[in-house]
Amino acid sequence: MDSKIVNQDNNESFIDLTVLFRICLRNKLLIFALTSIATLSTIFYSLKQKPIYKGDFQIVVTKNEELNSTSNTKQLSFLLSGKENDNKTQEYILKSPLVLKPVFNIALEEYKKRGGSGQLEYERWVNNTLNIKFEEGTQVLKISFIDLEKDFIIEILNQISSRYQNYSKQIKEKELIKTLEYLSTQQKSLKEISANSLKALNSFSLKHGLGNLDGFIDPSSSNRGLNTAQIGSNVKNQAGQRYVNQFKTLEKLEAELLNYSTKLKPNSQLIKSLKLKIAKLKESLKRPREILLTYRDLTKKAIRDESLLNGIETQLGVIKLEIAKQRDPWELISEPTIAKDRVSPERKKMTLLGFISSLLISSLLSILKEKRSGKVFEQSELASLLDCQYIDTLYLNNDDINYRIIEDAIKTQNRNEKLNKINQRFNIIKFTNKDTNLFLKNCRFINFKYEAIEKNDKLIFLISPGMITINQIVLINKYI
């Protein structure tokens, strides 16, 4: 039976849901039987399934390389690592065989005791039984494990917790050792650089008589804590005694020139002699200014190199102390526990799913069953297939109305054909599964035979839903 009805106005096809509903209503016993059997089977199946439980715990995953840390060691570790591991990378690492393979081996032994084949793959075990995921927006890692036995769940979770804590300690120690190696290399290099800088400074100071009386400079003691601006003035204070007499002589000559210039004429021989001496002495003092600038640069370099060396040595001491100490593992914030509700089977969900799916399938089977039977149940389909005039719908429980409907139809037909005799006899052919008490003086019931159709001009078809097939309608149309 075709449940699509053609709309004559816009020639569009649409599904008549009322037709589908009537099909299901006609086949309610079949639908009820199939749905009941499937639902009960689902319930029985869920009751036979072994319950699966889930346990979990939470652990805080800390990172050594956080930039916001105030620790110089952690900042340096971040720079050495090159990039910050995101949570996804951490998840993949913590799921890898590198960390969890020993736990997998313990689980494999347990499965063998239960009668398993022992051929379970690691990836399949992780994907089917474990859930390792960071809580959104946090550094809290949640680890879940499912199994048939609660004690085994707790054992596996404890093993995972132990592995993660050991792994975190190893990671921290590895980062510290890596940092220690880097700092040791830098210390060796900076020692040589600092020694060369100090050697160049002392050689220059000895050559030009700068620094202490013995000519040696100790920038680490004399300039510790000074900034770049202070180094220049400090260099002047550290100048040697070599040029002190020249500056005193210059001051003395300038004082004499000022004194004599008030008493003598400018062209006097004494005034000219003093001016000549002052000019020559100033010319000789231009060279010390260049020496002092070079001395200042050498001092700054020596101070900078020794400061870097001191910083590296300080960090080395801190790293060695941290390696010597027992490293703290990742912190557990919840102990392994079993969830109250089982993971599987979800009996209510399975039952509801079984009921809905069986209802849909049985309804579909009912529709297919009617289509395969070839029987016509819908009035609209019957009227469109049968090439004769549709009179009306009869009511089996009201013969009076039925009598009037058929009598009016006969009178109308005779009147349209301009027959003189109103009592022109009609023949009724029944396609019905119920007896009718219709009594019409102008009609008689005859059996459905194609010869009877040929011999009679006036026929009325009395059809109940589902009592005539499409093939029969095709044959009737040919005779009509």
Side-chain angles (χ1 to χ4, degrees):
M1 180 184 300
D2 194 355
S3 61
K4 292 186 178 179
I5 307 301
V6 179
N7 188 328
Q8 299 297 334
D9 295 334
N10 52 15
N11 293 325
E12 293 182 355
S13 297
F14 61 92
I15 301 298
D16 190 348
L17 296 179
T18 59
V19 173
L20 298 179
F21 176 76
R22 287 195 293 271
I23 293 175
C24 295
L25 194 61
R26 285 193 293 270
N27 295 274
K28 56 183 177 293
L29 293 179
L30 174 63
I31 294 175
F32 175 76
L34 294 177
T35 303
S36 299
I37 293 172
T39 304
L40 291 174
S41 299
T42 304
I43 294 174
F44 181 72
Y45 174 78
S46 67
L47 291 174
K48 289 193 66 177
Q49 293 296 304
K50 292 183 179 180
I52 297 177
Y53 302 96
K54 182 178 75 170
D56 57 51
F57 71 93
Q58 292 177 322
I59 191 170
V60 178
V61 177
T62 57
K63 299 180 180 179
N64 291 336
E65 57 270 6
E66 291 176 352
L67 281 176
N68 57 356
S69 173
T70 57
S71 170
N72 292 331
T73 304
K74 292 184 178 181
Q75 290 180 9
L76 183 59
S77 298
F78 175 81
L79 294 175
L80 295 176
S81 65
K83 64 177 181 179
E84 181 181 4
N85 292 328
D86 59 8
N87 287 351
K88 282 295 180 184
T89 304
Q90 288 275 28
E91 286 179 14
Y92 280 114
I93 294 174
L94 296 176
K95 288 180 182 179
S96 67
L98 173 68
V99 183
L100 294 183
K101 191 62 179 290
V103 182
F104 169 69
N105 293 333
I106 295 174
L108 204 59
E109 291 298 324
E110 175 64 21
Y111 297 150
K112 288 180 181 178
K113 292 179 182 178
R114 298 179 188 177
S117 62
Q119 300 298 322
L120 182 64
E121 295 180 355
Y122 177 82
E123 291 295 333
R124 184 178 176 187
W125 175 72
V126 170
N127 294 332
N128 292 344
T129 63
L130 277 174
N131 184 22
I132 301 173
K133 191 174 183 180
F134 279 94
E135 299 287 358
E136 187 175 357
T138 69
Q139 292 299 316
V140 176
L141 188 70
K142 185 175 182 180
I143 299 94
S144 303
F145 178 70
I146 61 173
D147 193 72
L148 301 173
E149 298 181 7
K150 296 181 179 180
D151 293 340
F152 182 64
I153 293 175
I154 296 296
E155 179 184 356
I156 290 296
L157 291 178
N158 284 330
Q159 289 289 338
I160 294 175
S161 170
S162 177
R163 289 294 303 173
Y164 280 175
Q165 289 182 318
N166 291 335
Y167 170 76
S168 66
K169 292 172 64 177
Q170 293 172 3
I171 290 297
K172 292 176 182 178
E173 290 175 359
K174 186 181 294 185
E175 290 292 331
L176 290 174
I177 292 173
K178 184 178 179 181
T179 305
L180 180 64
E181 293 174 352
Y182 173 80
L183 291 178
S184 299
T185 303
Q186 292 299 309
Q187 181 192 32
K188 183 178 179 181
S189 175
L190 285 174
K191 270 187 177 181
E192 184 177 354
I193 293 173
S194 179
N196 291 335
S197 299
L198 188 59
K199 182 178 179 180
L201 175 62
N202 285 327
S203 298
F204 187 82
S205 63
L206 283 172
K207 180 179 179 181
H208 298 282
L210 302 174
N212 299 327
L213 293 177
D214 56 2
F216 286 97
I217 305 296
D218 185 9
S220 61
S221 60
S222 61
N223 293 284
R224 184 176 290 112
L226 298 179
N227 56 33
T228 304
Q230 293 171 319
I231 290 175
S233 64
N234 197 47
V235 166
K236 294 180 180 179
N237 295 331
Q238 284 190 344
Q241 303 298 320
R242 178 175 179 177
Y243 302 101
V244 173
N245 293 330
Q246 286 90 329
F247 282 107
K248 287 182 178 180
T249 302
L250 178 62
E251 292 175 359
K252 182 179 179 181
L253 292 175
E254 288 177 341
E256 288 180 359
L257 177 62
L258 179 64
N259 183 35
Y260 286 118
S261 61
T262 59
K263 300 176 181 179
L264 301 175
K265 294 181 179 181
N267 57 356
S268 67
Q269 188 65 30
L270 182 59
I271 295 295
K272 290 181 179 180
S273 175
L274 286 174
K275 287 182 178 181
L276 182 61
K277 289 180 180 180
I278 290 174
K280 289 183 178 181
L281 190 57
K282 283 184 177 181
E283 183 66 25
S284 66
L285 288 176
K286 287 182 180 180
R287 180 66 177 169
R289 290 192 181 94
E290 298 176 0
I291 293 173
L292 289 177
L293 289 175
T294 304
Y295 172 74
R296 183 186 66 178
D297 293 338
L298 291 173
T299 304
K300 286 168 60 178
K301 186 176 185 305
I303 292 172
R304 181 178 65 251
D305 292 342
E306 187 165 358
S307 176
L308 288 173
L309 177 61
N310 291 335
I312 290 293
E313 289 177 343
T314 300
Q315 291 186 12
L316 267 174
V318 174
I319 291 296
K320 289 179 180 178
L321 181 62
E322 289 189 10
I323 292 176
K325 292 192 303 182
Q326 178 69 27
R327 299 298 303 159
D328 293 330
W330 290 340
E331 182 183 358
L332 280 175
I333 60 175
S334 67
E335 295 294 331
T337 55
I338 304 295
K340 294 181 180 179
D341 299 329
R342 61 179 179 272
V343 176
S344 175
E346 298 179 83
R347 295 193 175 100
K348 292 182 179 179
K349 185 177 180 180
M350 289 178 65
T351 302
L352 181 61
L353 183 62
F355 171 76
I356 294 175
S357 59
S358 61
L359 181 62
L360 294 175
I361 293 173
S362 59
S363 300
L364 180 60
L365 289 176
S366 299
I367 296 171
L368 295 176
K369 171 178 169 289
E370 285 202 0
K371 287 186 68 67
R372 288 178 62 87
S373 69
K375 294 180 179 180
V376 179
F377 289 88
E378 297 298 323
Q379 172 188 316
S380 57
E381 185 178 9
L382 179 63
S384 64
L385 293 176
L386 194 58
D387 294 339
C388 61
Q389 181 183 355
Y390 170 72
I391 299 175
D392 207 335
T393 300
L394 301 182
Y395 302 90
L396 296 181
N397 296 325
N398 198 325
D399 290 339
D400 291 338
I401 294 178
N402 296 337
Y403 180 87
R404 291 176 182 274
I405 290 172
I406 295 177
E407 189 176 51
D408 289 344
I410 293 172
K411 289 179 180 180
T412 303
Q413 183 69 21
N414 289 337
R415 193 178 300 116
N416 292 339
E417 296 182 2
K418 298 181 180 180
L419 298 176
N420 295 324
K421 294 181 179 180
I422 300 299
N423 59 352
Q424 175 70 32
R425 184 172 295 277
F426 279 74
N427 298 289
I428 297 179
I429 298 177
K430 293 195 302 179
F431 292 92
T432 177
N433 58 344
K434 294 184 179 180
D435 294 332
T436 178
N437 295 322
L438 280 175
F439 174 75
L440 299 172
K441 62 182 180 180
N442 293 326
C443 298
R444 67 186 178 90
F445 291 97
I446 63 174
N447 294 327
F448 174 68
K449 293 181 180 180
Y450 300 116
E451 303 85 39
I453 298 176
E454 289 180 338
K455 294 177 182 179
N456 295 277
D457 293 332
K458 305 300 180 181
L459 293 174
I460 294 177
F461 292 100
L462 187 62
I463 302 173
S464 294
M467 296 306 296
I468 190 170
T469 65
I470 294 177
N471 291 335
Q472 289 174 326
I473 293 175
V474 171
L475 292 175
I476 291 172
N477 288 337
K478 289 182 178 181
Y479 283 103
I480 292 174

